[in-house]
Amino acid sequence: MEEPARLRREYQLAVRHQHDLINLTLYQVRASRRRRTRGERGRRNWVRPWIGRRRQFGMYDQLMVDLRNEDHASFTNFLRISPAMFDELLARVGPSITKQYTFYRDPLEPGMKLALTLRHLASGNKYASMKFGWRVPHNTQSLVVRDVCQAIIDEYVDEVLVCPSTPESWRAVADKFFQRWNFPNTCGALDGKHVACRCPPKSGSLYFNYKGFYSIVLMALVDADYKFIWADISGTGSASDAQIYNSCELKECVP
């Protein structure tokens, strides 16, 4: 009597398993059809129409032209640099941020890329809010800002960020501090700045600072004329100024 009952149970399990396989197969077929239909449907727009009217209504081709022609003070307030400095910066970094023209669409102008990057750095606005005024998609902005910042660093780092490397050059910095600010034996003013960031994956509270947000620490040294002569951007938000200084290369160079 036990043998027929066991066979019936095995048969019922086999039938149930077969039904599960059939349902799984049907689900995969439906999902494949949905993906295929979605792919055939394609994108509704290659470029959104209002973005395509960038030259007619965008900030770079309208507002900035008015500011340059009518109000240099407002231009400087908008980008934090004067029109002359903007032109110099564009002439030096323009070749490295210029993209090749293709049959698909025209690339963004180097001046547009530079102006968008400077405005983002000056205002701290999010890409999602800037895209409406500049008429540049937020994902494109994220690439543009990265490329322009790297181009500026490559062009100016050896000219602007020059750290003294000899005793005589350090004495010149100290003498300037004493002459201008009446601080003797001062080789620079050192301080840190918390730059907000998203919490990196699997970092726990390493980047969480005492102010209540995640950050990396920019520590910099300036001379008597407020010019940067050294910078370190490797500190985590939870580290103090002393911890960052003790682990940086500057301490190794200072006797």
Side-chain angles (χ1 to χ4, degrees):
M1 294 296 292
E2 294 180 359
E3 186 67 19
R6 184 178 64 82
L7 291 177
R8 278 198 302 273
R9 287 196 299 272
E10 292 179 355
Y11 174 77
Q12 292 173 355
L13 290 174
V15 171
R16 187 181 307 166
H17 180 65
Q18 185 177 9
H19 282 303
D20 292 340
L21 289 177
I22 293 174
N23 291 332
L24 178 60
T25 303
L26 291 175
Y27 172 79
Q28 291 176 342
V29 169
R30 295 193 195 100
S32 177
R33 286 178 179 175
R34 284 197 298 270
R35 286 195 297 268
R36 191 163 53 248
T37 303
R38 192 180 302 122
E40 293 172 354
R41 192 182 308 153
R43 296 174 58 175
R44 288 179 295 179
N45 301 106
W46 180 251
V47 177
R48 296 180 185 271
W50 62 272
I51 292 179
R53 293 188 287 272
R54 182 187 303 123
R55 289 187 178 276
Q56 290 81 11
F57 305 105
M59 279 190 177
Y60 179 71
D61 294 284
Q62 298 298 322
L63 176 62
M64 285 191 57
V65 172
D66 293 339
L67 294 180
R68 177 187 286 270
N69 295 333
E70 301 173 5
D71 193 346
H72 285 189
S74 295
F75 184 100
T76 304
N77 184 42
F78 187 67
L79 295 183
R80 300 299 191 269
I81 61 174
S82 64
M85 184 61 197
F86 179 84
D87 294 337
E88 177 192 336
L89 192 60
L90 179 59
R92 295 186 60 170
V93 305
S96 59
I97 60 176
T98 301
K99 300 298 183 181
Q100 184 178 3
Y101 280 82
T102 65
F103 293 106
Y104 292 101
R105 71 182 91 175
D106 293 339
L108 294 177
E109 300 176 22
M112 156 75 82
K113 294 181 178 181
L114 179 59
L116 189 149
T117 300
L118 294 176
R119 181 58 186 169
H120 172 68
L121 297 176
S123 65
N125 289 339
K126 296 181 179 179
Y127 300 140
S129 62
M130 290 179 61
K131 70 178 181 182
F132 297 107
W134 293 87
R135 296 181 182 250
V136 178
H138 64 278
N139 52 343
T140 304
Q141 292 183 49
S142 66
L143 300 176
V144 166
V145 171
R146 207 172 307 167
D147 291 343
V148 173
C149 288
Q150 188 61 51
I152 294 174
I153 292 172
D154 295 339
E155 181 66 28
Y156 282 93
V157 63
D158 295 330
E159 176 183 335
V160 175
L161 195 64
V162 180
C163 185
S165 57
T166 61
E168 292 76 16
S169 56
W170 282 111
R171 289 193 192 96
V173 174
D175 292 342
K176 192 67 175 292
F177 259 101
F178 183 70
Q179 295 170 6
R180 184 163 185 178
W181 302 107
N182 199 28
F183 282 108
N185 304 319
T186 302
C187 294
L190 183 69
D191 199 7
K193 162 71 177 175
H194 285 277
V195 182
C197 67
R198 290 185 178 180
C199 179
K202 300 180 181 179
S203 62
S205 60
L206 185 63
Y207 289 84
F208 193 77
N209 61 42
Y210 70 96
K211 297 183 178 182
F213 58 89
Y214 294 95
S215 65
I216 58 176
V217 178
L218 163 64
M219 179 168 283
L221 183 72
V222 298
D223 62 11
D225 296 321
Y226 310 106
K227 293 181 180 179
F228 288 93
I229 57 178
W230 176 85
D232 178 87
I233 321 175
S234 61
T236 58
S238 61
S240 65
D241 289 348
Q243 288 175 311
I244 297 173
Y245 175 76
N246 289 331
S247 61
C248 72
E249 61 182 1
L250 183 64
K251 183 183 178 182
E252 300 176 2
C253 299
V254 175

mmCIF file of all heavy atoms in Angstrom, residues 183-204:
data_model
loop_
_atom_site.group_PDB
_atom_site.id
_atom_site.type_symbol
_atom_site.label_atom_id
_atom_site.label_comp_id
_atom_site.label_asym_id
_atom_site.label_seq_id
_atom_site.Cartn_x
_atom_site.Cartn_y
_atom_site.Cartn_z
ATOM 1 N N PHE A 183 53.603 89.181 10.377
ATOM 2 C CA PHE A 183 53.729 87.861 10.991
ATOM 3 C C PHE A 183 55.120 87.322 10.682
ATOM 4 O O PHE A 183 55.413 86.992 9.528
ATOM 5 C CB PHE A 183 52.672 86.886 10.454
ATOM 6 C CG PHE A 183 51.312 87.082 11.041
ATOM 7 C CD1 PHE A 183 50.292 87.625 10.279
ATOM 8 C CD2 PHE A 183 51.040 86.720 12.346
ATOM 9 C CE1 PHE A 183 49.028 87.804 10.800
ATOM 10 C CE2 PHE A 183 49.772 86.901 12.888
ATOM 11 C CZ PHE A 183 48.773 87.452 12.117
ATOM 12 N N PRO A 184 56.008 87.236 11.655
ATOM 13 C CA PRO A 184 57.360 86.733 11.373
ATOM 14 C C PRO A 184 57.386 85.208 11.274
ATOM 15 O O PRO A 184 56.534 84.505 11.834
ATOM 16 C CB PRO A 184 58.156 87.220 12.595
ATOM 17 C CG PRO A 184 57.143 87.281 13.691
ATOM 18 C CD PRO A 184 55.840 87.664 13.050
ATOM 19 N N ASN A 185 58.358 84.720 10.531
ATOM 20 C CA ASN A 185 58.610 83.275 10.419
ATOM 21 C C ASN A 185 57.361 82.494 9.973
ATOM 22 O O ASN A 185 57.070 81.410 10.477
ATOM 23 C CB ASN A 185 59.112 82.719 11.748
ATOM 24 C CG ASN A 185 60.351 83.427 12.238
ATOM 25 O OD1 ASN A 185 61.255 83.746 11.448
ATOM 26 N ND2 ASN A 185 60.419 83.716 13.529
ATOM 27 N N THR A 186 56.617 83.066 9.044
ATOM 28 C CA THR A 186 55.395 82.429 8.551
ATOM 29 C C THR A 186 55.603 82.022 7.095
ATOM 30 O O THR A 186 55.860 82.865 6.238
ATOM 31 C CB THR A 186 54.192 83.379 8.650
ATOM 32 O OG1 THR A 186 54.035 83.781 10.017
ATOM 33 C CG2 THR A 186 52.922 82.697 8.171
ATOM 34 N N CYS A 187 55.485 80.733 6.829
ATOM 35 C CA CYS A 187 55.707 80.210 5.473
ATOM 36 C C CYS A 187 54.408 80.009 4.696
ATOM 37 O O CYS A 187 54.435 79.502 3.575
ATOM 38 C CB CYS A 187 56.459 78.890 5.528
ATOM 39 S SG CYS A 187 58.139 79.051 6.149
ATOM 40 N N GLY A 188 53.275 80.375 5.280
ATOM 41 C CA GLY A 188 52.017 80.234 4.565
ATOM 42 C C GLY A 188 50.855 80.131 5.532
ATOM 43 O O GLY A 188 51.035 79.884 6.728
ATOM 44 N N ALA A 189 49.653 80.341 5.016
ATOM 45 C CA ALA A 189 48.429 80.178 5.797
ATOM 46 C C ALA A 189 47.759 78.886 5.349
ATOM 47 O O ALA A 189 47.435 78.714 4.163
ATOM 48 C CB ALA A 189 47.490 81.365 5.580
ATOM 49 N N LEU A 190 47.544 77.970 6.280
ATOM 50 C CA LEU A 190 47.045 76.629 5.981
ATOM 51 C C LEU A 190 45.660 76.445 6.581
ATOM 52 O O LEU A 190 45.418 76.774 7.738
ATOM 53 C CB LEU A 190 48.003 75.582 6.553
ATOM 54 C CG LEU A 190 47.679 74.113 6.289
ATOM 55 C CD1 LEU A 190 47.872 73.794 4.812
ATOM 56 C CD2 LEU A 190 48.572 73.209 7.142
ATOM 57 N N ASP A 191 44.735 75.906 5.782
ATOM 58 C CA ASP A 191 43.387 75.630 6.289
ATOM 59 C C ASP A 191 42.734 74.574 5.399
ATOM 60 O O ASP A 191 43.203 74.285 4.298
ATOM 61 C CB ASP A 191 42.535 76.898 6.315
ATOM 62 C CG ASP A 191 41.323 76.759 7.244
ATOM 63 O OD1 ASP A 191 41.241 75.725 7.952
ATOM 64 O OD2 ASP A 191 40.467 77.646 7.253
ATOM 65 N N GLY A 192 41.634 74.015 5.904
ATOM 66 C CA GLY A 192 40.910 72.975 5.177
ATOM 67 C C GLY A 192 39.493 73.406 4.853
ATOM 68 O O GLY A 192 38.926 74.290 5.499
ATOM 69 N N LYS A 193 38.923 72.781 3.856
ATOM 70 C CA LYS A 193 37.564 73.069 3.406
ATOM 71 C C LYS A 193 36.851 71.754 3.122
ATOM 72 O O LYS A 193 37.359 70.903 2.386
ATOM 73 C CB LYS A 193 37.612 73.931 2.138
ATOM 74 C CG LYS A 193 36.327 73.946 1.315
ATOM 75 C CD LYS A 193 35.220 74.699 2.001
ATOM 76 C CE LYS A 193 33.978 74.760 1.110
ATOM 77 N NZ LYS A 193 32.825 75.396 1.784
ATOM 78 N N HIS A 194 35.665 71.571 3.719
ATOM 79 C CA HIS A 194 34.857 70.382 3.464
ATOM 80 C C HIS A 194 34.077 70.574 2.163
ATOM 81 O O HIS A 194 33.274 71.494 2.035
ATOM 82 C CB HIS A 194 33.883 70.134 4.621
ATOM 83 C CG HIS A 194 34.534 69.578 5.842
ATOM 84 N ND1 HIS A 194 34.800 68.240 5.999
ATOM 85 C CD2 HIS A 194 34.983 70.192 6.973
ATOM 86 C CE1 HIS A 194 35.376 68.039 7.169
ATOM 87 N NE2 HIS A 194 35.503 69.207 7.783
ATOM 88 N N VAL A 195 34.316 69.705 1.201
ATOM 89 C CA VAL A 195 33.613 69.735 -0.082
ATOM 90 C C VAL A 195 32.590 68.601 -0.074
ATOM 91 O O VAL A 195 32.955 67.419 0.021
ATOM 92 C CB VAL A 195 34.584 69.570 -1.263
ATOM 93 C CG1 VAL A 195 33.832 69.643 -2.586
ATOM 94 C CG2 VAL A 195 35.667 70.636 -1.212
ATOM 95 N N ALA A 196 31.315 68.952 -0.139
ATOM 96 C CA ALA A 196 30.245 67.955 -0.029
ATOM 97 C C ALA A 196 30.320 66.946 -1.171
ATOM 98 O O ALA A 196 30.653 67.282 -2.310
ATOM 99 C CB ALA A 196 28.891 68.648 -0.017
ATOM 100 N N CYS A 197 30.012 65.697 -0.860
ATOM 101 C CA CYS A 197 30.000 64.633 -1.863
ATOM 102 C C CYS A 197 28.976 63.584 -1.444
ATOM 103 O O CYS A 197 28.460 63.605 -0.320
ATOM 104 C CB CYS A 197 31.379 63.997 -2.012
ATOM 105 S SG CYS A 197 31.927 63.062 -0.553
ATOM 106 N N ARG A 198 28.671 62.680 -2.341
ATOM 107 C CA ARG A 198 27.836 61.528 -1.999
ATOM 108 C C ARG A 198 28.675 60.502 -1.245
ATOM 109 O O ARG A 198 29.879 60.377 -1.468
ATOM 110 C CB ARG A 198 27.262 60.895 -3.263
ATOM 111 C CG ARG A 198 26.208 61.748 -3.964
ATOM 112 C CD ARG A 198 25.620 60.994 -5.136
ATOM 113 N NE ARG A 198 24.580 61.768 -5.791
ATOM 114 C CZ ARG A 198 23.899 61.344 -6.850
ATOM 115 N NH1 ARG A 198 24.167 60.154 -7.379
ATOM 116 N NH2 ARG A 198 22.965 62.104 -7.388
ATOM 117 N N CYS A 199 28.014 59.763 -0.403
ATOM 118 C CA CYS A 199 28.730 58.747 0.376
ATOM 119 C C CYS A 199 29.263 57.666 -0.559
ATOM 120 O O CYS A 199 28.484 57.007 -1.263
ATOM 121 C CB CYS A 199 27.799 58.125 1.416
ATOM 122 S SG CYS A 199 28.579 56.834 2.406
ATOM 123 N N PRO A 200 30.575 57.468 -0.630
ATOM 124 C CA PRO A 200 31.123 56.409 -1.487
ATOM 125 C C PRO A 200 30.643 55.032 -1.023
ATOM 126 O O PRO A 200 30.374 54.826 0.167
ATOM 127 C CB PRO A 200 32.639 56.561 -1.307
ATOM 128 C CG PRO A 200 32.822 57.967 -0.843
ATOM 129 C CD PRO A 200 31.622 58.270 -0.008
ATOM 130 N N PRO A 201 30.508 54.084 -1.936
ATOM 131 C CA PRO A 201 30.024 52.750 -1.558
ATOM 132 C C PRO A 201 30.923 52.074 -0.526
ATOM 133 O O PRO A 201 32.148 52.176 -0.589
ATOM 134 C CB PRO A 201 30.031 51.977 -2.888
ATOM 135 C CG PRO A 201 30.009 53.030 -3.946
ATOM 136 C CD PRO A 201 30.745 54.202 -3.381
ATOM 137 N N LYS A 202 30.295 51.438 0.419
ATOM 138 C CA LYS A 202 30.974 50.626 1.434
ATOM 139 C C LYS A 202 32.022 51.417 2.220
ATOM 140 O O LYS A 202 33.062 50.882 2.604
ATOM 141 C CB LYS A 202 31.637 49.413 0.766
ATOM 142 C CG LYS A 202 30.667 48.495 0.038
ATOM 143 C CD LYS A 202 31.369 47.317 -0.607
ATOM 144 C CE LYS A 202 30.388 46.426 -1.355
ATOM 145 N NZ LYS A 202 31.067 45.289 -2.010
ATOM 146 N N SER A 203 31.758 52.703 2.444
ATOM 147 C CA SER A 203 32.713 53.523 3.196
ATOM 148 C C SER A 203 32.255 53.796 4.625
ATOM 149 O O SER A 203 32.995 54.404 5.394
ATOM 150 C CB SER A 203 32.946 54.858 2.474
ATOM 151 O OG SER A 203 31.739 55.603 2.386
ATOM 152 N N GLY A 204 31.032 53.395 4.963
ATOM 153 C CA GLY A 204 30.554 53.618 6.320
ATOM 154 C C GLY A 204 30.496 55.094 6.672
ATOM 155 O O GLY A 204 29.962 55.905 5.926
#
